[in-house]
Structures are given as C-alpha cells and as structure tokens.
PDB file of all heavy atoms in Angstrom:
ATOM      1  N   ALA A   1    -128.566-126.243  86.509  1.00 97.00           N
ATOM      2  CA  ALA A   1    -128.295-127.291  85.524  1.00 97.00           C
ATOM      3  C   ALA A   1    -129.572-127.910  84.991  1.00 97.00           C
ATOM      4  O   ALA A   1    -129.671-128.243  83.804  1.00 97.00           O
ATOM      5  CB  ALA A   1    -127.400-128.365  86.151  1.00 97.00           C
ATOM      6  N   SER A   2    -130.573-128.042  85.851  1.00 97.00           N
ATOM      7  CA  SER A   2    -131.836-128.666  85.419  1.00 97.00           C
ATOM      8  C   SER A   2    -132.651-127.764  84.502  1.00 97.00           C
ATOM      9  O   SER A   2    -133.524-128.247  83.770  1.00 97.00           O
ATOM     10  CB  SER A   2    -132.669-129.044  86.652  1.00 97.00           C
ATOM     11  OG  SER A   2    -133.132-127.871  87.325  1.00 97.00           O
ATOM     12  N   LYS A   3    -132.382-126.444  84.504  1.00 97.00           N
ATOM     13  CA  LYS A   3    -133.164-125.499  83.708  1.00 97.00           C
ATOM     14  C   LYS A   3    -132.355-124.851  82.587  1.00 97.00           C
ATOM     15  O   LYS A   3    -132.873-123.998  81.859  1.00 97.00           O
ATOM     16  CB  LYS A   3    -133.723-124.405  84.617  1.00 97.00           C
ATOM     17  CG  LYS A   3    -134.672-124.930  85.689  1.00 97.00           C
ATOM     18  CD  LYS A   3    -135.168-123.800  86.585  1.00 97.00           C
ATOM     19  CE  LYS A   3    -136.112-124.325  87.661  1.00 97.00           C
ATOM     20  NZ  LYS A   3    -136.597-123.244  88.550  1.00 97.00           N
ATOM     21  N   LEU A   4    -131.099-125.236  82.447  1.00 96.00           N
ATOM     22  CA  LEU A   4    -130.213-124.590  81.486  1.00 96.00           C
ATOM     23  C   LEU A   4    -130.728-124.781  80.059  1.00 96.00           C
ATOM     24  O   LEU A   4    -131.106-125.880  79.660  1.00 96.00           O
ATOM     25  CB  LEU A   4    -128.803-125.168  81.609  1.00 96.00           C
ATOM     26  CG  LEU A   4    -127.710-124.502  80.783  1.00 96.00           C
ATOM     27  CD1 LEU A   4    -127.455-123.084  81.286  1.00 96.00           C
ATOM     28  CD2 LEU A   4    -126.422-125.320  80.848  1.00 96.00           C
ATOM     29  N   ASP A   5    -130.756-123.689  79.321  1.00 94.00           N
ATOM     30  CA  ASP A   5    -131.064-123.778  77.896  1.00 94.00           C
ATOM     31  C   ASP A   5    -130.107-122.857  77.145  1.00 94.00           C
ATOM     32  O   ASP A   5    -129.329-122.129  77.736  1.00 94.00           O
ATOM     33  CB  ASP A   5    -132.524-123.420  77.605  1.00 94.00           C
ATOM     34  CG  ASP A   5    -132.927-122.059  78.165  1.00 94.00           C
ATOM     35  OD1 ASP A   5    -132.031-121.323  78.643  1.00 94.00           O
ATOM     36  OD2 ASP A   5    -134.119-121.736  78.127  1.00 94.00           O
ATOM     37  N   GLY A   6    -130.140-122.911  75.814  1.00 94.00           N
ATOM     38  CA  GLY A   6    -129.210-122.128  75.017  1.00 94.00           C
ATOM     39  C   GLY A   6    -128.195-123.023  74.337  1.00 94.00           C
ATOM     40  O   GLY A   6    -128.001-124.186  74.707  1.00 94.00           O
ATOM     41  N   GLN A   7    -127.557-122.498  73.325  1.00 97.00           N
ATOM     42  CA  GLN A   7    -126.568-123.257  72.563  1.00 97.00           C
ATOM     43  C   GLN A   7    -125.424-122.318  72.188  1.00 97.00           C
ATOM     44  O   GLN A   7    -125.646-121.258  71.600  1.00 97.00           O
ATOM     45  CB  GLN A   7    -127.204-123.849  71.307  1.00 97.00           C
ATOM     46  CG  GLN A   7    -126.291-124.705  70.476  1.00 97.00           C
ATOM     47  CD  GLN A   7    -125.696-125.878  71.245  1.00 97.00           C
ATOM     48  OE1 GLN A   7    -124.468-125.983  71.358  1.00 97.00           O
ATOM     49  NE2 GLN A   7    -126.544-126.726  71.814  1.00 97.00           N
ATOM     50  N   TRP A   8    -124.196-122.709  72.530  1.00 98.00           N
ATOM     51  CA  TRP A   8    -123.037-121.843  72.319  1.00 98.00           C
ATOM     52  C   TRP A   8    -121.957-122.573  71.511  1.00 98.00           C
ATOM     53  O   TRP A   8    -120.768-122.488  71.821  1.00 98.00           O
ATOM     54  CB  TRP A   8    -122.496-121.379  73.667  1.00 98.00           C
ATOM     55  CG  TRP A   8    -123.514-120.575  74.423  1.00 98.00           C
ATOM     56  CD1 TRP A   8    -123.835-119.269  74.223  1.00 98.00           C
ATOM     57  CD2 TRP A   8    -124.339-121.036  75.495  1.00 98.00           C
ATOM     58  NE1 TRP A   8    -124.812-118.873  75.096  1.00 98.00           N
ATOM     59  CE2 TRP A   8    -125.155-119.940  75.902  1.00 98.00           C
ATOM     60  CE3 TRP A   8    -124.499-122.260  76.155  1.00 98.00           C
ATOM     61  CZ2 TRP A   8    -126.090-120.049  76.925  1.00 98.00           C
ATOM     62  CZ3 TRP A   8    -125.427-122.361  77.172  1.00 98.00           C
ATOM     63  CH2 TRP A   8    -126.210-121.262  77.543  1.00 98.00           C
ATOM     64  N   SER A   9    -122.364-123.286  70.478  1.00 98.00           N
ATOM     65  CA  SER A   9    -121.431-124.102  69.699  1.00 98.00           C
ATOM     66  C   SER A   9    -120.371-123.260  68.986  1.00 98.00           C
ATOM     67  O   SER A   9    -119.216-123.682  68.866  1.00 98.00           O
ATOM     68  CB  SER A   9    -122.189-124.969  68.697  1.00 98.00           C
ATOM     69  OG  SER A   9    -123.038-124.174  67.886  1.00 98.00           O
ATOM     70  N   GLU A  10    -120.729-122.063  68.521  1.00 98.00           N
ATOM     71  CA  GLU A  10    -119.750-121.229  67.826  1.00 98.00           C
ATOM     72  C   GLU A  10    -118.655-120.769  68.797  1.00 98.00           C
ATOM     73  O   GLU A  10    -117.461-120.812  68.483  1.00 98.00           O
ATOM     74  CB  GLU A  10    -120.444-120.020  67.196  1.00 98.00           C
ATOM     75  CG  GLU A  10    -119.510-119.149  66.369  1.00 98.00           C
ATOM     76  CD  GLU A  10    -120.233-118.010  65.661  1.00 98.00           C
ATOM     77  OE1 GLU A  10    -121.483-118.021  65.639  1.00 98.00           O
ATOM     78  OE2 GLU A  10    -119.543-117.109  65.142  1.00 98.00           O
ATOM     79  N   TRP A  11    -119.036-120.314  69.960  1.00 98.00           N
ATOM     80  CA  TRP A  11    -118.091-119.906  71.002  1.00 98.00           C
ATOM     81  C   TRP A  11    -117.249-121.101  71.461  1.00 98.00           C
ATOM     82  O   TRP A  11    -116.030-120.998  71.620  1.00 98.00           O
ATOM     83  CB  TRP A  11    -118.862-119.285  72.146  1.00 98.00           C
ATOM     84  CG  TRP A  11    -118.175-119.079  73.463  1.00 98.00           C
ATOM     85  CD1 TRP A  11    -118.608-119.535  74.674  1.00 98.00           C
ATOM     86  CD2 TRP A  11    -116.968-118.344  73.741  1.00 98.00           C
ATOM     87  NE1 TRP A  11    -117.760-119.142  75.677  1.00 98.00           N
ATOM     88  CE2 TRP A  11    -116.745-118.394  75.133  1.00 98.00           C
ATOM     89  CE3 TRP A  11    -116.067-117.648  72.953  1.00 98.00           C
ATOM     90  CZ2 TRP A  11    -115.656-117.800  75.758  1.00 98.00           C
ATOM     91  CZ3 TRP A  11    -114.965-117.051  73.567  1.00 98.00           C
ATOM     92  CH2 TRP A  11    -114.768-117.128  74.951  1.00 98.00           C
ATOM     93  N   HIS A  12    -117.894-122.248  71.618  1.00 98.00           N
ATOM     94  CA  HIS A  12    -117.189-123.468  72.001  1.00 98.00           C
ATOM     95  C   HIS A  12    -116.139-123.831  70.952  1.00 98.00           C
ATOM     96  O   HIS A  12    -115.003-124.219  71.296  1.00 98.00           O
ATOM     97  CB  HIS A  12    -118.195-124.614  72.165  1.00 98.00           C
ATOM     98  CG  HIS A  12    -117.590-125.913  72.598  1.00 98.00           C
ATOM     99  ND1 HIS A  12    -117.016-126.805  71.706  1.00 98.00           N
ATOM    100  CD2 HIS A  12    -117.461-126.483  73.826  1.00 98.00           C
ATOM    101  CE1 HIS A  12    -116.576-127.861  72.364  1.00 98.00           C
ATOM    102  NE2 HIS A  12    -116.833-127.686  73.652  1.00 98.00           N
ATOM    103  N   GLY A  13    -116.477-123.676  69.681  1.00 98.00           N
ATOM    104  CA  GLY A  13    -115.529-123.957  68.617  1.00 98.00           C
ATOM    105  C   GLY A  13    -114.326-123.028  68.664  1.00 98.00           C
ATOM    106  O   GLY A  13    -113.186-123.449  68.441  1.00 98.00           O
ATOM    107  N   TYR A  14    -114.579-121.760  68.959  1.00 98.00           N
ATOM    108  CA  TYR A  14    -113.479-120.800  69.092  1.00 98.00           C
ATOM    109  C   TYR A  14    -112.592-121.172  70.278  1.00 98.00           C
ATOM    110  O   TYR A  14    -111.359-121.083  70.198  1.00 98.00           O
ATOM    111  CB  TYR A  14    -114.037-119.393  69.261  1.00 98.00           C
ATOM    112  CG  TYR A  14    -112.971-118.346  69.531  1.00 98.00           C
ATOM    113  CD1 TYR A  14    -112.107-117.927  68.530  1.00 98.00           C
ATOM    114  CD2 TYR A  14    -112.824-117.787  70.802  1.00 98.00           C
ATOM    115  CE1 TYR A  14    -111.117-116.978  68.777  1.00 98.00           C
ATOM    116  CE2 TYR A  14    -111.849-116.839  71.063  1.00 98.00           C
ATOM    117  CZ  TYR A  14    -110.993-116.434  70.048  1.00 98.00           C
ATOM    118  OH  TYR A  14    -110.022-115.499  70.296  1.00 98.00           O
ATOM    119  N   CYS A  15    -113.193-121.590  71.377  1.00 98.00           N
ATOM    120  CA  CYS A  15    -112.410-122.025  72.543  1.00 98.00           C
ATOM    121  C   CYS A  15    -111.499-123.194  72.180  1.00 98.00           C
ATOM    122  O   CYS A  15    -110.322-123.231  72.588  1.00 98.00           O
ATOM    123  CB  CYS A  15    -113.343-122.422  73.685  1.00 98.00           C
ATOM    124  SG  CYS A  15    -114.252-121.056  74.450  1.00 98.00           S
ATOM    125  N   ARG A  16    -112.008-124.121  71.413  1.00 98.00           N
ATOM    126  CA  ARG A  16    -111.186-125.245  70.964  1.00 98.00           C
ATOM    127  C   ARG A  16    -110.024-124.756  70.089  1.00 98.00           C
ATOM    128  O   ARG A  16    -108.899-125.262  70.181  1.00 98.00           O
ATOM    129  CB  ARG A  16    -112.042-126.243  70.182  1.00 98.00           C
ATOM    130  CG  ARG A  16    -112.837-127.173  71.057  1.00 98.00           C
ATOM    131  CD  ARG A  16    -111.985-128.347  71.508  1.00 98.00           C
ATOM    132  NE  ARG A  16    -112.705-129.135  72.505  1.00 98.00           N
ATOM    133  CZ  ARG A  16    -112.333-129.309  73.758  1.00 98.00           C
ATOM    134  NH1 ARG A  16    -111.251-128.702  74.216  1.00 98.00           N
ATOM    135  NH2 ARG A  16    -113.024-130.060  74.571  1.00 98.00           N
ATOM    136  N   GLU A  17    -110.295-123.787  69.248  1.00 98.00           N
ATOM    137  CA  GLU A  17    -109.262-123.239  68.367  1.00 98.00           C
ATOM    138  C   GLU A  17    -108.136-122.600  69.185  1.00 98.00           C
ATOM    139  O   GLU A  17    -106.950-122.821  68.912  1.00 98.00           O
ATOM    140  CB  GLU A  17    -109.891-122.203  67.429  1.00 98.00           C
ATOM    141  CG  GLU A  17    -108.920-121.539  66.476  1.00 98.00           C
ATOM    142  CD  GLU A  17    -109.597-120.452  65.663  1.00 98.00           C
ATOM    143  OE1 GLU A  17    -110.817-120.551  65.412  1.00 98.00           O
ATOM    144  OE2 GLU A  17    -108.904-119.479  65.276  1.00 98.00           O
ATOM    145  N   VAL A  18    -108.505-121.818  70.192  1.00 98.00           N
ATOM    146  CA  VAL A  18    -107.500-121.170  71.042  1.00 98.00           C
ATOM    147  C   VAL A  18    -106.723-122.209  71.841  1.00 98.00           C
ATOM    148  O   VAL A  18    -105.490-122.138  71.968  1.00 98.00           O
ATOM    149  CB  VAL A  18    -108.167-120.142  71.967  1.00 98.00           C
ATOM    150  CG1 VAL A  18    -107.170-119.585  72.975  1.00 98.00           C
ATOM    151  CG2 VAL A  18    -108.795-119.023  71.153  1.00 98.00           C
ATOM    152  N   GLN A  19    -107.420-123.185  72.363  1.00 98.00           N
ATOM    153  CA  GLN A  19    -106.774-124.244  73.131  1.00 98.00           C
ATOM    154  C   GLN A  19    -105.740-124.987  72.282  1.00 98.00           C
ATOM    155  O   GLN A  19    -104.628-125.287  72.752  1.00 98.00           O
ATOM    156  CB  GLN A  19    -107.838-125.222  73.643  1.00 98.00           C
ATOM    157  CG  GLN A  19    -107.315-126.314  74.554  1.00 98.00           C
ATOM    158  CD  GLN A  19    -108.419-127.276  74.953  1.00 98.00           C
ATOM    159  OE1 GLN A  19    -109.201-127.731  74.107  1.00 98.00           O
ATOM    160  NE2 GLN A  19    -108.515-127.570  76.228  1.00 98.00           N
ATOM    161  N   ALA A  20    -106.090-125.268  71.032  1.00 98.00           N
ATOM    162  CA  ALA A  20    -105.180-125.994  70.153  1.00 98.00           C
ATOM    163  C   ALA A  20    -103.972-125.155  69.745  1.00 98.00           C
ATOM    164  O   ALA A  20    -102.882-125.685  69.513  1.00 98.00           O
ATOM    165  CB  ALA A  20    -105.935-126.458  68.906  1.00 98.00           C
ATOM    166  N   ALA A  21    -104.163-123.834  69.698  1.00 97.00           N
ATOM    167  CA  ALA A  21    -103.086-122.944  69.238  1.00 97.00           C
ATOM    168  C   ALA A  21    -102.050-122.664  70.315  1.00 97.00           C
ATOM    169  O   ALA A  21    -100.934-122.226  70.004  1.00 97.00           O
ATOM    170  CB  ALA A  21    -103.689-121.627  68.742  1.00 97.00           C
ATOM    171  N   LEU A  22    -102.401-122.915  71.593  1.00 97.00           N
ATOM    172  CA  LEU A  22    -101.508-122.554  72.702  1.00 97.00           C
ATOM    173  C   LEU A  22    -101.169-123.788  73.530  1.00 97.00           C
ATOM    174  O   LEU A  22    -101.955-124.225  74.376  1.00 97.00           O
ATOM    175  CB  LEU A  22    -102.171-121.497  73.589  1.00 97.00           C
ATOM    176  CG  LEU A  22    -102.495-120.174  72.888  1.00 97.00           C
ATOM    177  CD1 LEU A  22    -103.292-119.268  73.816  1.00 97.00           C
ATOM    178  CD2 LEU A  22    -101.213-119.479  72.432  1.00 97.00           C
ATOM    179  N   PRO A  23    -100.006-124.372  73.312  1.00 94.00           N
ATOM    180  CA  PRO A  23     -99.625-125.578  74.064  1.00 94.00           C
ATOM    181  C   PRO A  23     -99.428-125.277  75.541  1.00 94.00           C
ATOM    182  O   PRO A  23     -99.052-124.169  75.922  1.00 94.00           O
ATOM    183  CB  PRO A  23     -98.303-125.990  73.402  1.00 94.00           C
ATOM    184  CG  PRO A  23     -97.754-124.714  72.851  1.00 94.00           C
ATOM    185  CD  PRO A  23     -98.954-123.915  72.399  1.00 94.00           C
ATOM    186  N   LEU A  24     -99.676-126.287  76.369  1.00 94.00           N
ATOM    187  CA  LEU A  24     -99.494-126.102  77.814  1.00 94.00           C
ATOM    188  C   LEU A  24     -98.019-125.925  78.166  1.00 94.00           C
ATOM    189  O   LEU A  24     -97.676-125.174  79.071  1.00 94.00           O
ATOM    190  CB  LEU A  24    -100.071-127.301  78.572  1.00 94.00           C
ATOM    191  CG  LEU A  24    -101.594-127.411  78.611  1.00 94.00           C
ATOM    192  CD1 LEU A  24    -102.009-128.628  79.433  1.00 94.00           C
ATOM    193  CD2 LEU A  24    -102.219-126.154  79.183  1.00 94.00           C
ATOM    194  N   ILE A  25     -97.162-126.645  77.466  1.00 96.00           N
ATOM    195  CA  ILE A  25     -95.731-126.541  77.747  1.00 96.00           C
ATOM    196  C   ILE A  25     -95.116-125.559  76.765  1.00 96.00           C
ATOM    197  O   ILE A  25     -95.051-125.814  75.564  1.00 96.00           O
ATOM    198  CB  ILE A  25     -95.031-127.903  77.641  1.00 96.00           C
ATOM    199  CG1 ILE A  25     -95.630-128.885  78.661  1.00 96.00           C
ATOM    200  CG2 ILE A  25     -93.536-127.750  77.884  1.00 96.00           C
ATOM    201  CD1 ILE A  25     -95.009-130.266  78.624  1.00 96.00           C
ATOM    202  N   GLU A  26     -94.687-124.414  77.276  1.00 95.00           N
ATOM    203  CA  GLU A  26     -94.054-123.395  76.444  1.00 95.00           C
ATOM    204  C   GLU A  26     -92.536-123.493  76.584  1.00 95.00           C
ATOM    205  O   GLU A  26     -92.014-124.295  77.365  1.00 95.00           O
ATOM    206  CB  GLU A  26     -94.570-122.014  76.839  1.00 95.00           C
ATOM    207  CG  GLU A  26     -96.080-121.871  76.650  1.00 95.00           C
ATOM    208  CD  GLU A  26     -96.566-120.443  76.762  1.00 95.00           C
ATOM    209  OE1 GLU A  26     -95.726-119.518  76.837  1.00 95.00           O
ATOM    210  OE2 GLU A  26     -97.794-120.243  76.766  1.00 95.00           O
ATOM    211  N   GLU A  27     -91.825-122.679  75.834  1.00 91.00           N
ATOM    212  CA  GLU A  27     -90.369-122.731  75.862  1.00 91.00           C
ATOM    213  C   GLU A  27     -89.846-122.236  77.215  1.00 91.00           C
ATOM    214  O   GLU A  27     -90.181-121.151  77.660  1.00 91.00           O
ATOM    215  CB  GLU A  27     -89.781-121.887  74.732  1.00 91.00           C
ATOM    216  CG  GLU A  27     -89.966-122.514  73.354  1.00 91.00           C
ATOM    217  CD  GLU A  27     -89.173-121.794  72.288  1.00 91.00           C
ATOM    218  OE1 GLU A  27     -88.203-121.089  72.652  1.00 91.00           O
ATOM    219  OE2 GLU A  27     -89.538-121.917  71.109  1.00 91.00           O
ATOM    220  N   ASN A  28     -89.027-123.065  77.841  1.00 94.00           N
ATOM    221  CA  ASN A  28     -88.389-122.713  79.104  1.00 94.00           C
ATOM    222  C   ASN A  28     -86.939-123.185  79.070  1.00 94.00           C
ATOM    223  O   ASN A  28     -86.571-124.068  78.282  1.00 94.00           O
ATOM    224  CB  ASN A  28     -89.123-123.371  80.277  1.00 94.00           C
ATOM    225  CG  ASN A  28     -90.342-122.596  80.716  1.00 94.00           C
ATOM    226  OD1 ASN A  28     -90.228-121.566  81.364  1.00 94.00           O
ATOM    227  ND2 ASN A  28     -91.529-123.084  80.354  1.00 94.00           N
ATOM    228  N   VAL A  29     -86.135-122.615  79.932  1.00 94.00           N
ATOM    229  CA  VAL A  29     -84.728-123.002  80.027  1.00 94.00           C
ATOM    230  C   VAL A  29     -84.602-124.272  80.859  1.00 94.00           C
ATOM    231  O   VAL A  29     -84.990-124.307  82.031  1.00 94.00           O
ATOM    232  CB  VAL A  29     -83.897-121.869  80.663  1.00 94.00           C
ATOM    233  CG1 VAL A  29     -82.469-122.347  80.929  1.00 94.00           C
ATOM    234  CG2 VAL A  29     -83.894-120.642  79.769  1.00 94.00           C
ATOM    235  N   THR A  30     -84.104-125.334  80.235  1.00 96.00           N
ATOM    236  CA  THR A  30     -83.739-126.560  80.935  1.00 96.00           C
ATOM    237  C   THR A  30     -82.413-127.016  80.348  1.00 96.00           C
ATOM    238  O   THR A  30     -82.358-127.506  79.216  1.00 96.00           O
ATOM    239  CB  THR A  30     -84.791-127.671  80.742  1.00 96.00           C
ATOM    240  OG1 THR A  30     -86.072-127.203  81.156  1.00 96.00           O
ATOM    241  CG2 THR A  30     -84.426-128.905  81.561  1.00 96.00           C
ATOM    242  N   HIS A  31     -81.338-126.844  81.072  1.00 96.00           N
ATOM    243  CA  HIS A  31     -80.021-127.178  80.549  1.00 96.00           C
ATOM    244  C   HIS A  31     -79.832-128.693  80.435  1.00 96.00           C
ATOM    245  O   HIS A  31     -80.526-129.481  81.090  1.00 96.00           O
ATOM    246  CB  HIS A  31     -78.928-126.572  81.430  1.00 96.00           C
ATOM    247  CG  HIS A  31     -78.850-125.076  81.333  1.00 96.00           C
ATOM    248  ND1 HIS A  31     -79.254-124.243  82.362  1.00 96.00           N
ATOM    249  CD2 HIS A  31     -78.447-124.264  80.324  1.00 96.00           C
ATOM    250  CE1 HIS A  31     -79.083-122.970  81.987  1.00 96.00           C
ATOM    251  NE2 HIS A  31     -78.593-122.961  80.757  1.00 96.00           N
ATOM    252  N   GLU A  32     -78.886-129.071  79.596  1.00 96.00           N
ATOM    253  CA  GLU A  32     -78.625-130.480  79.322  1.00 96.00           C
ATOM    254  C   GLU A  32     -78.293-131.228  80.616  1.00 96.00           C
ATOM    255  O   GLU A  32     -77.566-130.737  81.476  1.00 96.00           O
ATOM    256  CB  GLU A  32     -77.466-130.606  78.337  1.00 96.00           C
ATOM    257  CG  GLU A  32     -77.215-132.030  77.872  1.00 96.00           C
ATOM    258  CD  GLU A  32     -76.109-132.120  76.825  1.00 96.00           C
ATOM    259  OE1 GLU A  32     -75.630-131.040  76.393  1.00 96.00           O
ATOM    260  OE2 GLU A  32     -75.744-133.241  76.456  1.00 96.00           O
ATOM    261  N   GLY A  33     -78.846-132.434  80.695  1.00 96.00           N
ATOM    262  CA  GLY A  33     -78.594-133.278  81.859  1.00 96.00           C
ATOM    263  C   GLY A  33     -79.638-133.154  82.944  1.00 96.00           C
ATOM    264  O   GLY A  33     -79.655-133.949  83.886  1.00 96.00           O
ATOM    265  N   TYR A  34     -80.505-132.162  82.832  1.00 97.00           N
ATOM    266  CA  TYR A  34     -81.568-131.971  83.816  1.00 97.00           C
ATOM    267  C   TYR A  34     -82.917-132.413  83.236  1.00 97.00           C
ATOM    268  O   TYR A  34     -83.132-132.360  82.023  1.00 97.00           O
ATOM    269  CB  TYR A  34     -81.657-130.510  84.243  1.00 97.00           C
ATOM    270  CG  TYR A  34     -80.461-130.031  85.034  1.00 97.00           C
ATOM    271  CD1 TYR A  34     -79.470-129.265  84.431  1.00 97.00           C
ATOM    272  CD2 TYR A  34     -80.325-130.352  86.381  1.00 97.00           C
ATOM    273  CE1 TYR A  34     -78.366-128.823  85.152  1.00 97.00           C
ATOM    274  CE2 TYR A  34     -79.229-129.924  87.112  1.00 97.00           C
ATOM    275  CZ  TYR A  34     -78.251-129.157  86.497  1.00 97.00           C
ATOM    276  OH  TYR A  34     -77.170-128.728  87.210  1.00 97.00           O
ATOM    277  N   GLN A  35     -83.823-132.804  84.127  1.00 98.00           N
ATOM    278  CA  GLN A  35     -85.152-133.224  83.712  1.00 98.00           C
ATOM    279  C   GLN A  35     -86.089-132.025  83.656  1.00 98.00           C
ATOM    280  O   GLN A  35     -86.208-131.280  84.637  1.00 98.00           O
ATOM    281  CB  GLN A  35     -85.712-134.272  84.692  1.00 98.00           C
ATOM    282  CG  GLN A  35     -87.152-134.668  84.435  1.00 98.00           C
ATOM    283  CD  GLN A  35     -87.347-135.294  83.064  1.00 98.00           C
ATOM    284  OE1 GLN A  35     -86.601-136.188  82.678  1.00 98.00           O
ATOM    285  NE2 GLN A  35     -88.334-134.816  82.325  1.00 98.00           N
ATOM    286  N   SER A  36     -86.768-131.842  82.527  1.00 97.00           N
ATOM    287  CA  SER A  36     -87.780-130.795  82.444  1.00 97.00           C
ATOM    288  C   SER A  36     -88.932-131.151  83.373  1.00 97.00           C
ATOM    289  O   SER A  36     -89.574-132.198  83.202  1.00 97.00           O
ATOM    290  CB  SER A  36     -88.309-130.661  81.018  1.00 97.00           C
ATOM    291  OG  SER A  36     -89.531-129.945  81.009  1.00 97.00           O
ATOM    292  N   PRO A  37     -89.249-130.320  84.368  1.00 97.00           N
ATOM    293  CA  PRO A  37     -90.370-130.640  85.255  1.00 97.00           C
ATOM    294  C   PRO A  37     -91.697-130.637  84.510  1.00 97.00           C
ATOM    295  O   PRO A  37     -92.613-131.388  84.859  1.00 97.00           O
ATOM    296  CB  PRO A  37     -90.309-129.542  86.319  1.00 97.00           C
ATOM    297  CG  PRO A  37     -89.563-128.421  85.679  1.00 97.00           C
ATOM    298  CD  PRO A  37     -88.585-129.055  84.734  1.00 97.00           C
ATOM    299  N   PHE A  38     -91.800-129.800  83.481  1.00 98.00           N
ATOM    300  CA  PHE A  38     -93.033-129.738  82.702  1.00 98.00           C
ATOM    301  C   PHE A  38     -93.287-131.061  81.982  1.00 98.00           C
ATOM    302  O   PHE A  38     -94.403-131.597  81.995  1.00 98.00           O
ATOM    303  CB  PHE A  38     -92.957-128.592  81.687  1.00 98.00           C
ATOM    304  CG  PHE A  38     -92.916-127.227  82.306  1.00 98.00           C
ATOM    305  CD1 PHE A  38     -91.708-126.612  82.579  1.00 98.00           C
ATOM    306  CD2 PHE A  38     -94.086-126.551  82.624  1.00 98.00           C
ATOM    307  CE1 PHE A  38     -91.658-125.344  83.149  1.00 98.00           C
ATOM    308  CE2 PHE A  38     -94.056-125.293  83.196  1.00 98.00           C
ATOM    309  CZ  PHE A  38     -92.835-124.685  83.463  1.00 98.00           C
ATOM    310  N   LYS A  39     -92.244-131.613  81.353  1.00 97.00           N
ATOM    311  CA  LYS A  39     -92.410-132.866  80.619  1.00 97.00           C
ATOM    312  C   LYS A  39     -92.625-134.044  81.568  1.00 97.00           C
ATOM    313  O   LYS A  39     -93.328-135.001  81.238  1.00 97.00           O
ATOM    314  CB  LYS A  39     -91.202-133.097  79.723  1.00 97.00           C
ATOM    315  CG  LYS A  39     -91.135-132.101  78.574  1.00 97.00           C
ATOM    316  CD  LYS A  39     -89.934-132.346  77.680  1.00 97.00           C
ATOM    317  CE  LYS A  39     -89.896-131.318  76.534  1.00 97.00           C
ATOM    318  NZ  LYS A  39     -88.702-131.503  75.666  1.00 97.00           N
TER     319      LYS A  39
END
C-alpha cells in the first residue's frame, strides 16, 4: 500500500457500470403473505 502506483480509472468506471446494471436482489419466488428474506 505504501508503494502502490498506477491509475485504473477506466476499469473502475466499467466496474461501476456493471455494478449498476446488476441489482443485488434478483427475481425470486415469494408467495403472497410471506416476507421476502432478501428485502
């Protein structure tokens, strides 16, 4: 960490793009009356 150099802003930007495109909570079966554990 004390010697780290370099810049990866373009890759970091792509990571943000992928993160935004894929929500953590995806479609799952939760029938009416039950609590979604994900939510």
Side-chain angles (χ1 to χ4, degrees):
S2 68
K3 298 179 180 180
L4 186 67
D5 54 8
Q7 183 57 240
W8 298 281
S9 54
E10 184 176 349
W11 166 235
H12 182 276
Y14 175 72
C15 291
R16 279 277 172 243
E17 179 185 331
V18 173
Q19 185 183 47
L22 299 173
L24 288 182
I25 299 180
E26 299 192 8
E27 288 190 21
N28 278 285
V29 173
T30 304
H31 290 109
E32 186 177 354
Y34 292 102
Q35 174 61 49
S36 163
F38 294 93
K39 291 180 180 178

